[in-house]
């Protein structure tokens, strides 16, 4: 943040952090986000490790293909179920306190994974974990608006999603090694629970709020219920809905491609974990560059509809190659285009200069409709496979779904700097 954004402000009502807004802000903004991004890493690690753990669970607890589909869908369903209610109801309360409560709850849910006696309890633990995780993420939107100037929104969102892609990389690449190092998959969840407790404790010390006036470039004041924004700005439904098809393919790939690669490419669990790491590495490149590219060209839409052309081709081709380096390159490309989109979609409501709670509702809708597709994908693939169809057939059926990005991206109005 630049020096011009460091003026004195009134202490927000109800802020119990003891932070005086007259203190210098710029470096502390990154301290606040750093702690939140640490929670994101743990969150994504729990969420994304499922793909490489399913082959292990097949041997350890006898998970079936349909149960594997339910496992993949449970997390996305919990995400979609809670995103919009959290943005409407929980944003009324102190975001610093809600973040702390949710983080501690996530630690408890991670520990429940470790002690789960059956597949059903793991599904319940995963569902609970995601309910708490999405509630915390909705608070994160408010902190971004409190601490950063509008010109940095796209960049911060890019860093936000890049950090999650780092978590994805770690989850798929090192989980098999951690299972061996720690003596089993249950110990991995114990370590994650401990990490979340530590992050919760540090948040209780450094977590702070900051309110910026509209004169400083802050958002407009809240008027009425934040849910009304979905009626006044119907374009937000296109913003949220254009990712539904992409979510079907995304969730299906994460849940079932490791198993498919083990069977078709004759890889071990450790080797497929390394192969899958190309997907989030591409995601890091895509999400990290998306904001900078968008700001450079002054446009948002091309970074939405162009991935809608490439992703179906890449998904379809991935299932038909048996050359491991080529599969890695395709996963890299899928990750790049898949993760270039979310930072841009998340920036559009911020471009509209909506109040913080209305932005939270807009992104809550996005985080509701995306999981609808993500819930449907693994269930469809698992049901086809269990019904006698091949995993190749099931994954081929969901490959073209990201075309919704092309359709929705063309329908959206442009909100980038050049348009404004």
């Amino acid at each position: 943040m630049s020096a011009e954004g460091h003026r004195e402000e009134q202490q927000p009502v109800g802020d119990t952090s003891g932070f005086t807004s007259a203190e210098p802000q710029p470096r502390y903004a990154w301290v606040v986000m750093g702690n939140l991004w640490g929670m994101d890493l743990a969150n994504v690690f729990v969420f994304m490790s499922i793909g490489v753990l399913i082959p292990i669970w097949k041997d350890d607890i006898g998970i079936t293909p349909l149960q594997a589909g339910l496992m993949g869908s449970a997390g996305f369903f919990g995400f979609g179920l809670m995103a919009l209610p959290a943005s409407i109801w929980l944003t009324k309360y102190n975001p610093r306190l809600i973040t702390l409560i949710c983080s501690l709850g996530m630690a408890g849910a991670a520990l429940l994974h470790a002690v789960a006696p059956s597949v059903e309890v793991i599904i319940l633990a995963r569902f609970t974990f995601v309910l708490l995780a999405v509630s915390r993420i909705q608070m994160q939107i408010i902190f971004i608006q409190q601490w950063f100037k509008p010109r940095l929104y796209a960049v911060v969102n890019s860093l936000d999603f890049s950090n999650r892609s780092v978590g994805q990389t770690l989850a798929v690449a090192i989980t098999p090694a951690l299972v061996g190092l720690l003596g089993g998959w249950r110990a991995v969840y114990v370590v994650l629970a401990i990490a979340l407790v530590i992050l919760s404790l540090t948040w209780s010390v450094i977590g702070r709020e900051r309110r910026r006036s509209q004169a400083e470039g802050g958002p407009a004041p809240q008027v009425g219920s934040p849910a009304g924004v979905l009626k006044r700005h119907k374009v937000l439904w296109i913003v949220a809905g254009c990712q539904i098809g992409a979510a079907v393919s995304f969730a299906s790939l994460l849940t079932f491609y490791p198993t498919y690669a083990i069977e078709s490419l004759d890889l071990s669990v450790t080797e497929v974990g390394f192969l899958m790491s190309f997907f989030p590495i591409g995601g890091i490149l895509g999400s990290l560059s998306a904001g900078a590219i968008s700001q450079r060209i002054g446009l948002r839409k091309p970074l939405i509809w162009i991935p809608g052309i490439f992703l179906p081709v890449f998904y379809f081709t991935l299932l038909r190659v048996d050359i491991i380096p080529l599969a890695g390159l395709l996963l890299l490309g899928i990750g790049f285009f898949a993760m270039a989109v979310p930072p841009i979609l998340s920036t559009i409501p911020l471009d509209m200069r909506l109040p913080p709670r209305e932005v939270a509702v807009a992104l809550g809708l996005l985080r509701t409709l995306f999981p609808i597709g993500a819930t449907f994908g693994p269930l469809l693939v698992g049901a086809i496979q269990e019904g006698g169809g091949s995993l190749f057939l099931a994954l081929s059926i969901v490959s073209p779904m990201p075309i919704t990005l092309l359709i929705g991206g063309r329908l959206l109005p442009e909100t980038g700097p050049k348009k404004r």
Side-chain angles (χ1 to χ4, degrees):
M1 294 175 63
S2 64
E4 66 190 61
H6 310 154
R7 301 173 184 140
E8 291 190 3
E9 309 165 293
Q10 291 184 346
Q11 182 76 1
V13 177
D15 181 11
T16 59
S17 65
F19 179 71
T20 57
S21 55
E23 295 178 52
Q25 319 295 333
R27 293 182 180 177
Y28 206 84
W30 299 107
V31 172
V32 171
M33 291 307 302
N35 196 284
L36 294 172
W37 285 338
M39 295 176 185
D40 277 345
L41 282 175
N43 169 28
V44 174
F45 208 107
V46 171
F47 198 85
M48 299 295 295
S49 59
I50 179 175
V52 292
L53 285 176
I54 283 176
I56 296 173
W57 286 336
K58 280 186 176 180
D59 297 331
D60 191 18
I61 55 179
I63 188 171
T64 68
L66 185 57
Q67 287 176 325
L70 286 171
M71 189 82 71
S73 297
F76 288 107
F77 178 68
F79 208 95
L81 185 67
M82 195 62 187
L84 198 55
S87 67
I88 296 172
W89 299 327
L90 293 184
T91 53
K92 295 188 297 184
Y93 304 105
N94 187 323
R96 178 173 175 262
L97 179 60
I98 296 296
T99 297
L100 177 61
I101 293 171
C102 289
S103 181
L104 288 171
M106 288 162 60
L111 188 60
L112 182 58
H113 282 76
V115 300
S118 65
V119 175
E120 291 76 17
V121 176
I122 296 177
I123 293 174
L124 176 63
R126 182 171 172 81
F127 181 72
T128 303
F129 182 91
V130 172
L131 289 179
L132 293 162
V134 70
S135 298
R136 184 198 64 77
I137 289 172
Q138 292 303 101
M139 302 300 110
Q140 195 157 308
I141 299 164
I142 295 176
F143 289 112
I144 289 174
Q145 284 188 285
Q146 287 181 351
W147 283 97
F148 294 94
K149 294 178 72 67
R151 63 182 176 80
L152 291 176
Y153 287 159
V155 174
V156 175
N157 275 325
S158 279
L159 292 173
D160 200 34
F161 283 93
S162 297
N163 174 67
R164 293 171 195 172
S165 294
V166 170
Q168 292 173 11
T169 306
L170 294 175
V172 299
I174 71 174
T175 294
L178 286 176
V179 171
L181 181 65
L182 299 175
W185 61 269
R186 296 181 186 274
V188 174
Y189 284 107
V190 172
V191 171
L192 289 169
I194 293 171
L196 281 165
V197 169
I198 293 172
L199 287 165
S200 301
L201 293 175
T202 57
W203 177 257
S204 67
V205 176
I206 69 175
R208 300 178 183 179
E209 288 189 76
R210 178 185 181 231
R211 299 292 174 86
R212 294 170 46 232
S213 67
Q214 197 168 5
E216 284 186 285
Q222 177 71 52
V223 179
S225 170
V229 71
L230 301 181
K231 184 176 181 180
R232 295 194 306 274
H233 299 281
K234 294 181 174 58
V235 69
L236 294 174
W237 290 89
I238 302 178
V239 173
C242 68
Q243 277 202 107
I244 290 180
V248 173
S249 303
F250 177 84
S252 300
L253 174 82
L254 293 179
T255 305
F256 286 103
Y257 184 74
T259 301
Y260 178 80
I262 288 172
E263 295 173 354
S264 64
L265 301 179
D266 194 26
L267 299 177
S268 68
V269 173
T270 301
E271 289 169 335
V272 84
F274 175 76
L275 176 63
M276 284 297 293
S277 69
F278 282 89
F279 171 76
I281 289 172
I284 294 171
L285 298 175
S287 55
L288 193 60
S289 61
I293 293 172
S294 179
Q295 289 298 104
R296 179 81 173 178
I297 66 176
L299 301 172
R300 308 293 189 214
K301 291 178 59 173
L303 283 95
I304 299 171
W305 64 262
I306 290 176
I309 298 174
F310 282 95
L311 284 172
V313 176
F314 284 9
Y315 276 121
F316 195 77
T317 306
L318 177 65
L319 300 176
R320 287 155 179 80
V321 301
D322 55 7
I323 302 173
I324 295 175
L326 181 56
L329 288 175
L330 286 167
L331 285 166
L332 190 75
I334 290 171
F336 179 89
F337 286 111
M339 294 307 297
V341 176
I344 305 305
L345 291 177
S346 298
T347 301
I348 291 175
L350 295 167
D351 285 339
M352 297 166 66
R353 299 295 192 269
L354 302 174
R357 291 184 63 202
E358 290 190 354
V359 171
V361 169
L363 298 188
L365 180 66
L366 191 154
R367 290 166 178 160
T368 297
L369 298 188
F370 181 91
I372 288 176
T375 299
F376 177 74
L379 282 176
L380 176 63
V381 172
I384 292 173
Q385 187 183 9
E386 188 137 323
S390 68
L391 188 53
F392 171 80
L393 172 64
L395 290 173
S396 295
I397 289 173
V398 300
S399 292
M401 300 297 185
I403 198 172
T404 57
L405 290 172
L406 173 61
I407 298 169
R410 298 300 296 176
L411 291 175
L412 283 171
E414 183 58 65
T415 63
K418 183 175 289 187
K419 178 66 175 179
R420 294 198 302 272

